[in-house]
Amino acid sequence: MTTALRRFPHWPRALILAAMGVAMAAIFALDTLTDYAVAAAVFHTAIILVAVRWFSPRVVIGLTALCIVLTLASFALTPAGAYRTGLINMVISILAIAITAYLGLKMVAAQNAAHEARTQLMRITQTTSLGQLTASIAHEVNQPLAAIVTSGNACQRWLAQEPPNLAKAGQALERILGDAQRASDVIARIRSMARGEAPSRQSFDLNDAVREMARLSDAELDRRGVALDLQLAPALQPAWADRVHIQQVLANLLLNAMDAMQGTPAAQRRITVTTQALGQQLVLTVADAGEGLSPLARTHLFDAFWTTKPDGMGLGLNICRHMAEANGGRIWATDREDMRGGTVFHITIACAPATGDRSSTGLRHG
């Protein structure tokens, strides 16, 4: 009966209730006319299961009570059989009806609770995703915007000199334009990540990308009194990744390295960026001369919204991990091997495939 009802969910509930009434009457008649040894009343459990599927708990409880009353009446009206056997069967039938109703109502309550929990989870997830997206954009765009302000101030100083240093001012303006474009690219890439789009991979020179980011970071490095040492391996194979993603990862790591060396003596503030080939991968590393990572920091290093900085958002390294993994690489941190203290971040990047292999591997071209 249940299968038939599911096939025809458009049936009016009144018709379903009428059919259940007919079935209950048939069960009552069968239970009354047969011997005490036949526990036909147990078939009322099927009525309860149908009621649980189609009606409210109040109706289910009412039907359960009616089924129990009919079972008692049937026992009293049964004309033949062993009375003791009939009594036992009646008790078993009533217990089966009551337990079926109880479990059925519990199941419906659990389903409703699960549905409500899923609904709440979806709302929380949507809110969290929106919050993370907003925070990510704010965090990532803050870097080029801060660089624009720094370059703008430098440009004003160069122009205020007597005579104005137009060459230096022009360089500052170039940095402003570059950072403005980088902010636009960052927003576009984060929006793409939020929509679940694959990175726009392309073949590019990793060393050139590192040098470009180093030039864009010059003003901030100078402001903080940090030296930048580039140790770039010559004749590297082209990288195959989203260039903006890799540069943004590098920008985050450079900023983290500067923050890590705030308590380091000025003469020792140095960031070392290296590139090297490792099989069919390229490895980019960023090493600082700070205090290093505590055991707690290692545990939560790439967790969203976890930070040791008083004014930090805890998103930089989390975004770095997502960008690295989205491009088929990975990121991890180690202690420096020269025993000077500090942390080294390593990022792997795929080498560009041969021209004839790019279409067959299904990778997107930027």
Side-chain angles (χ1 to χ4, degrees), residues 304-351:
F305 302 111
W306 191 90
T307 181
T308 58
K309 304 174 187 177
D311 56 348
M313 297 179 67
L315 283 170
L317 291 177
N318 180 263
I319 293 171
C320 287
R321 185 186 67 181
H322 283 298
M323 287 184 173
E325 292 177 352
N327 285 277
R330 66 189 188 97
I331 181 172
W332 71 98
T334 61
D335 294 326
R336 291 183 60 145
E337 297 180 354
D338 54 12
M339 306 301 291
R340 294 182 181 178
T343 305
V344 184
F345 283 90
H346 311 256
I347 309 98
T348 59
I349 306 163
C351 292

Side-chain angles (χ1 to χ4, degrees), residues 54-67:
W54 288 99
F55 298 101
S56 65
R58 187 187 299 271
V59 174
V60 172
I61 293 172
L63 288 172
T64 301
L66 180 58
C67 288

Side-chain angles (χ1 to χ4, degrees), residues 70-102:
L70 290 176
T71 301
L72 291 169
S74 176
F75 173 75
L77 296 174
T78 298
Y83 182 84
R84 181 180 178 82
T85 301
L87 182 62
I88 294 174
N89 284 342
M90 179 195 69
V91 172
I92 292 174
S93 296
I94 291 175
L95 286 175
I97 293 169
I99 292 173
T100 300
Y102 175 78

Side-chain angles (χ1 to χ4, degrees), residues 114-195:
H115 176 73
E116 181 64 23
R118 283 194 298 269
T119 302
Q120 291 293 334
L121 181 60
M122 288 178 63
R123 291 173 181 168
I124 292 172
T125 301
Q126 290 171 353
T127 303
T128 303
S129 298
L130 180 59
Q132 286 183 337
L133 175 60
T134 303
S136 298
I137 292 175
H139 180 277
E140 296 302 287
V141 173
N142 182 62
Q143 294 181 13
L145 290 182
I148 288 172
V149 171
T150 301
S151 298
N153 292 333
C155 184
Q156 285 182 328
R157 288 196 301 272
W158 295 126
L159 292 176
Q161 289 183 353
E162 290 294 343
N165 191 329
L166 297 181
K168 292 289 188 180
Q171 293 175 5
L173 287 174
E174 288 181 4
R175 288 197 300 269
I176 290 173
L177 293 175
D179 283 316
Q181 182 59 49
R182 185 157 66 96
S184 176
D185 291 340
V186 165
I187 293 174
R189 291 301 193 272
I190 292 180
R191 287 177 61 191
S192 295
M193 290 176 63
R195 290 195 296 262

Side-chain angles (χ1 to χ4, degrees), residues 229-248:
D229 181 16
L230 300 183
Q231 299 180 5
L232 310 181
L236 281 180
Q237 286 183 255
W240 184 255
D242 188 314
R243 181 186 175 105
V244 174
H245 279 184
I246 300 305
Q247 288 189 313
Q248 197 58 27

Side-chain angles (χ1 to χ4, degrees), residues 294-312:
S294 67
L296 180 62
R298 289 183 183 280
T299 303
H300 300 283
L301 193 58
F302 297 101
D303 291 351
F305 302 111
W306 191 90
T307 181
T308 58
K309 304 174 187 177
D311 56 348

